[in-house]
Amino acid sequence: MAEGFWEKEYETMPREKLLDLQLERLKKTLINVYENVKFYREKLDGSGVDPYNFKSLDDLGKIPFTTKDNLRLNYPFKLFAKPLSEIVRIHSSSGTTGNPTVVGYTKNDIALWGNLIARNLYSTGVGENDIIQNSYGYGLFTGGLGLHYGAELLGATVIPASGGNTERQLKIMKDYGSTVICCTPSYALYIAEVGNELGFDFSKLPLKLGILGAEPWTDEMRKEIEARLQIDAIDIYGLSEIIGPGVSCECIQKKGLHVAEDHFLVEIIDPRTGKKLPPGKRGEIVFTSLTKEAIPVIRYRTRDLSILHTDTCDCGRTHARMEKPMGRTDDMLIIRGVNVFPSQIEEVLMGVDDLEPHYLIVLDTKDYMDTIEVWVEVSEKNFYEEIMDLEFFEKSIEDRLYSAIGLRINVSLKEPQTIARSKGKAKRVLDKRKKD
Ligand code: DLL
């Protein structure tokens, strides 16, 4: 395993110096967007911020936020700060509702992205002797190609497996001796499950590390994945609007995801008031890109919720750490007046012995009231050998959910293998409520 830093000077830069670097880079970014993107020119003029006379990071707060809707309304290329002749790659969101969000990259952006991923991988101990099975989807999604070039830059051997065809994934893992798997946490679980069915003994494989992200997952889920695949599981975070994966990633300490603060300025805000919150407070993550060329973003509201810590990590890195994102503001369910995030339910379920880590939250209405039920699979042994009273077991899980969340949630135990598995981002909520 490799040790140390990919770019020590930047990764361990004293915070004061880092803030100076951010200011210098932010000024350039503001001038760039002012001169090249109408949307930002109007925003800056409207907020009275003069990009040619920008003096303090505190003044960033005067600029209004940018939202996903702003990106959609400027579909496809109106937020690009460079002509298409300089854009070498396009990625986009799936766009199931309305226009997708489209992002572009210049040659320098692609190089930056690769470098950030190499930095992330190196910080988890991955090096040129590793064989990386990249099972994120290749295509418009940023996971596949994003991880790919960073892993190559690092000098590791990359297997561009992409998502799906799980039996083939397992054969590759065994025959080629993959040491690292990159995929969503839910797909990692599925690979483990299929592997068990096929009689794999993961403790005998060279696989040692998972670089997992693209969806929220709890520490309890991490323990499950680590035990089932016999690996260390590392959390990686990103979003296409900012660059893709590589915005932040855990180091081997697993004490929060280091934000690449020399390239992305991070703020945490109160999602209701938009007011900036200090480190240690939970809120919505907002990013401003500092070096991106094709589509710089100023104060982009991610809708993801987390907490920032700015003290130096035990690994020596000074860049702020985000706690594991608990979900998105729009994932929050309001049931009979109680706010609940799917990740809170996951946390409780994963702490119960004899349950499988496969669940679905089902919302419906009955007599004009919202109802919430959790379907969760019971382990094979318990279901078929009837060694426990399932009704009693359901009730005990409902009690645990109630004491953790303060909401009565019906639990419905399911036979093994009945809840749909995911090969990409898992769908945890099925909303059957009638929409007008
Ligand atoms: O999911 C980029 C990515 C690819 C990240 C591979 C990590 C690994 P999008 O498809 O644009 O980009 O989705 C971004 O996914 O705003 C979060 O809501 C969620 N998300 C991504 N990573 C994490 C994570 C990629 N580690 C959206 N934990 C983000 C929680 C995550 N949520």
Side-chain angles (χ1 to χ4, degrees):
M1 285 278 222
E3 263 179 73
F5 302 97
W6 181 249
E7 287 172 300
K8 187 166 186 195
E9 184 197 343
Y10 289 102
E11 292 174 73
T12 62
M13 187 174 266
R15 286 200 68 78
E16 245 171 64
K17 232 177 129 191
L18 186 61
L19 298 182
D20 287 345
L21 179 72
Q22 288 189 326
L23 179 60
E24 183 196 313
R25 291 181 166 179
L26 179 58
K27 281 184 197 163
K28 284 194 191 137
T29 298
L30 290 177
I31 292 173
N32 178 19
V33 294
Y34 190 80
E35 293 182 350
N36 295 301
V37 187
K38 182 166 166 270
F39 169 80
Y40 286 116
R41 187 159 54 249
E42 288 172 1
K43 236 182 213 300
L44 288 168
D45 282 341
S47 60
V49 172
D50 176 3
Y52 302 99
N53 199 16
F54 191 84
K55 295 221 161 60
S56 157
L57 286 180
D58 292 336
D59 291 339
L60 181 63
K62 295 181 183 157
I63 306 175
F65 297 113
T66 303
T67 63
K68 200 175 186 75
D69 277 346
N70 293 145
L71 262 76
R72 287 214 175 100
L73 288 171
N74 285 286
Y75 176 84
F77 305 140
K78 288 195 209 91
L79 292 188
F80 285 13
K82 293 282 179 198
L84 277 180
S85 56
E86 287 184 45
I87 306 289
V88 296
R89 175 102 63 83
I90 294 217
H91 281 281
S92 80
S93 68
S94 53
T96 36
T97 50
N99 279 337
T101 47
V102 182
V103 291
Y105 301 77
T106 62
K107 279 187 183 157
N108 286 339
D109 292 335
I110 293 287
L112 162 68
W113 196 10
N115 195 49
L116 290 176
I117 293 288
R119 191 195 268 186
N120 291 159
L121 293 172
Y122 204 68
S123 77
T124 65
V126 178
E128 59 185 16
N129 294 325
D130 278 297
I131 300 177
I132 301 183
Q133 184 164 340
N134 187 11
S135 308
Y136 285 114
Y138 280 65
L140 287 173
F141 175 55
T142 52
L145 289 170
L147 265 291
H148 184 100
Y149 289 101
E152 278 189 359
L153 182 67
L154 191 64
T157 308
V158 188
I159 306 169
S162 198
N165 204 340
T166 310
E167 290 194 15
R168 192 183 65 176
Q169 299 273 359
L170 283 150
K171 184 169 168 52
I172 289 172
M173 190 179 281
K174 182 159 153 271
D175 295 351
Y176 304 172
S178 310
T179 56
V180 180
I181 178 96
C182 303
C183 63
T184 58
S186 51
Y187 192 44
L189 263 184
Y190 186 52
I191 291 176
E193 184 176 54
V194 176
N196 284 337
E197 279 161 20
L198 296 176
F200 271 66
D201 179 353
F202 286 102
S203 69
K204 300 239 160 68
L205 296 186
L207 194 72
K208 62 188 179 200
L209 195 73
I211 304 289
L212 314 180
E215 64 184 9
W217 54 307
T218 57
D219 272 323
E220 285 68 20
M221 182 67 93
R222 182 195 326 252
K223 283 182 211 138
E224 285 286 339
I225 294 170
E226 293 189 330
R228 284 164 193 246
L229 280 176
Q230 295 284 300
I231 57 171
D232 259 325
I234 291 287
D235 195 358
I236 184 166
Y237 166 92
L239 56 167
S240 56
E241 296 89 327
I242 305 302
I243 201 159
V247 175
S248 70
C249 185
E250 287 177 333
C251 63
I252 34 181
Q253 302 291 332
K254 297 185 197 161
K255 286 187 184 149
L257 296 86
H258 289 281
V259 179
E261 279 192 289
D262 45 342
H263 298 283
F264 310 109
L265 192 152
V266 59
E267 300 171 83
I268 295 277
I269 60 158
D270 179 330
R272 282 157 308 173
T273 62
K275 247 184 88 188
K276 192 172 167 183
L277 297 174
K281 293 271 180 237
R282 186 184 306 282
E284 180 178 346
I285 315 168
V286 171
F287 288 110
T288 298
S289 66
L290 297 172
T291 50
K292 236 170 44 146
E293 293 181 342
I295 175 166
V297 279
I298 310 295
R299 303 197 86 204
Y300 184 73
R301 285 187 71 150
T302 62
R303 305 191 207 166
D304 294 321
L305 293 165
S306 183
I307 300 175
L308 272 191
H309 297 283
T310 50
D311 53 315
T312 304
C313 179
D314 291 343
C315 71
R317 288 178 180 80
T318 50
H319 292 187
R321 283 163 293 137
M322 303 166 22
E323 286 189 16
K324 260 175 144 335
M326 74 178 297
R328 302 167 60 84
T329 45
D330 35 2
D331 288 340
M332 189 177 79
L333 311 168
I334 305 179
I335 308 291
R336 300 190 293 272
V338 179
N339 300 347
V340 51
F341 282 92
S343 57
Q344 289 173 283
I345 295 176
E346 177 178 303
E347 209 172 302
V348 175
L349 296 179
M350 297 299 112
V352 179
D353 290 341
D354 300 315
L355 288 183
E356 290 293 305
H358 303 287
Y359 68 95
L360 185 69
I361 299 164
V362 184
L363 305 176
D364 209 341
T365 36
K366 193 173 173 217
D367 301 332
Y368 305 102
M369 289 280 282
D370 287 341
T371 61
I372 178 167
E373 186 169 82
V374 178
W375 299 355
V376 58
E377 289 180 15
V378 185
S379 63
E380 197 131 340
K381 180 170 102 239
N382 288 309
F383 204 89
Y384 294 114
E385 293 177 13
E386 294 177 29
I387 55 173
M388 64 165 60
D389 176 345
L390 290 182
E391 233 172 86
F392 178 78
F393 190 30
E394 279 174 350
K395 174 82 179 46
S396 76
I397 303 167
E398 286 169 6
D399 288 345
R400 283 176 75 156
L401 284 165
Y402 184 72
S403 67
I405 299 167
L407 182 70
R408 279 270 152 219
I409 299 175
N410 289 337
V411 172
S412 175
L413 295 174
K414 301 287 177 198
E415 276 182 58
Q417 312 278 351
T418 45
I419 293 173
R421 304 296 192 248
S422 140
K423 299 181 177 95
K425 297 184 190 240
K427 195 170 175 322
R428 301 293 189 194
V429 179
L430 174 65
D431 194 346
K432 294 164 111 182
R433 290 175 296 184
K434 284 207 180 70
K435 300 257 160 48
D436 292 332

